[in-house]
């Protein structure tokens, strides 16, 4: 069992934690694949429709990405918890809410699924022929990714501890929509997506060095959120 028996019914926890781990991990991989395909495909579509207007293309991508994530969490969350993000899984492990075996299985499936999603998007949209994103890895971009990720994890775990299962998908979608538009780093806020972006080009494509820095910033943001949530929702024995 990967969650404690005292854990109340909530979002981002599977309905049946005794379900075979391979099935739950498979669902995490499948959801991550579809999420990455939506992220990449919507960015390329926005690039094509915007006619060089970066802000319009970003808005198209923001709506499509946040909408796809809401749908995936609603559809698959009862099976696996609907994380599709190693940071959610990792923080649950850090809080003692998930076993190490389950955590590693989920994270492996999420990264693999996201990479397959990037490859699928490449075949659908010919993204490798598109202009890659030029990432200026300065302190502002790094801080941007820290803030975007911190905000996302605060929303995720705030919804978890509110014990209202349906708040999670819409809270995450709302924050992601806002953060993609409001932050210069475009709020990847997900190491699986950042690593998978190495395999594609177009507006979401990242170099290996850029992805590595993004992942580091995302982990820092997640740990900062863990501190905030620990203060906001102190755990009792």
């Amino acid at each position: 069992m990967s969650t404690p028996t005292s854990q109340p019914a909530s979002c981002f926890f599977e309905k049946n934690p005794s379900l075979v781990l391979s099935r739950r991990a498979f669902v995490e991989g499948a959801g991550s694949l579809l999420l990455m395909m939506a992220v990449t495909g919507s960015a390329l579509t926005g690039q094509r429709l915007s006619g060089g207007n970066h802000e319009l293309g970003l808005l198209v991508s923001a709506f499509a990405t946040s909408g796809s994530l809401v749908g995936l969490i609603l559809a698959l969350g009862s099976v696996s918890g609907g994380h599709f993000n190693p940071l959610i899984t990792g923080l649950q492990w850090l809080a003692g809410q998930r076993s190490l075996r389950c955590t590693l299985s989920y994270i492996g499936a999420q990264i693999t699924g996201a990479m397959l999603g990037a490859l699928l998007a490449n075949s659908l949209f010919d993204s490798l022929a598109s202009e890659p994103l030029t990432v200026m890895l300065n302190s502002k971009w790094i801080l941007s990714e820290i803030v975007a990720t911190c905000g996302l994890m605060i929303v995720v775990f705030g919804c978890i501890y509110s014990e209202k299962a349906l708040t999670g998908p819409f809270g995450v979608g709302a924050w992601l929509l806002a953060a993609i538009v409001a932050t210069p780093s475009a709020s990847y806020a997900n190491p699986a997506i950042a690593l998978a972006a190495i395999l594609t080009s177009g507006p979401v494509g990242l170099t290996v060095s850029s992805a590595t820095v993004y992942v580091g910033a995302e982990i820092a943001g997640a740990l900062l959120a863990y501190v905030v949530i620990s203060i906001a929702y102190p755990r009792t024995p």
Side-chain angles (χ1 to χ4, degrees):
M1 184 172 290
S2 58
T3 58
T5 55
S6 60
Q7 176 65 40
S10 181
C11 45
F12 302 107
F13 284 97
E14 50 270 52
K15 186 176 181 180
N16 178 15
S18 63
L19 187 68
V20 177
L21 178 57
S22 59
R23 288 180 61 186
R24 289 181 281 133
F26 171 80
V27 167
E28 281 295 301
S32 299
L33 184 154
L34 293 172
L35 175 61
M36 184 61 189
M37 187 191 71
V39 168
T40 304
S42 63
L44 290 164
T45 299
Q47 184 184 61
R48 187 181 72 249
L49 295 176
S50 66
N53 186 328
H54 174 71
E55 289 74 18
L56 177 59
L58 190 65
L59 194 60
V60 170
S61 179
F63 274 103
T65 300
S66 60
S68 67
L69 188 54
V70 170
L72 288 167
I73 296 171
L74 287 172
L76 302 175
S78 63
V79 181
S80 69
H83 299 185
F84 317 128
N85 187 331
L87 298 176
I88 300 175
T89 308
L91 288 186
Q92 285 189 356
W93 170 75
L94 192 62
Q97 298 167 335
R98 193 167 294 277
S99 70
L100 180 60
R101 177 170 173 263
C102 179
T103 299
L104 294 177
S105 297
Y106 270 33
I107 291 175
Q110 290 156 358
I111 294 174
T112 302
M115 289 183 169
L116 291 175
L119 295 175
L120 177 59
N122 288 346
S123 65
L124 292 176
F125 288 92
D126 193 23
S127 67
L128 296 179
S130 303
E131 287 293 326
L133 175 68
T134 302
V135 178
M136 303 297 294
L137 287 178
N138 55 38
S139 59
K140 291 182 179 179
W141 280 68
I142 296 171
L143 179 60
S144 168
E145 195 64 13
I146 291 173
V147 170
T149 305
C150 180
L152 178 60
M153 293 300 108
I154 288 173
V155 169
V156 167
F157 283 86
C159 289
I160 287 174
Y161 295 137
S162 74
E163 300 180 11
K164 296 178 181 177
L166 285 178
T167 60
F170 300 102
V172 166
W175 171 260
L176 192 58
L177 173 61
I180 289 174
V181 176
T183 59
S185 65
S187 183
Y188 285 59
N190 185 332
I193 298 299
L195 292 173
I198 296 172
L199 301 180
T200 189
S201 188
V204 298
L206 294 175
T207 64
V208 173
S209 59
S210 297
T212 301
V213 173
Y214 266 44
V215 170
E218 289 158 3
I219 292 173
L223 293 175
L224 179 60
Y226 185 81
V227 174
V228 173
I229 286 296
S230 297
I231 296 171
Y233 293 92
R235 303 283 303 282
T236 55

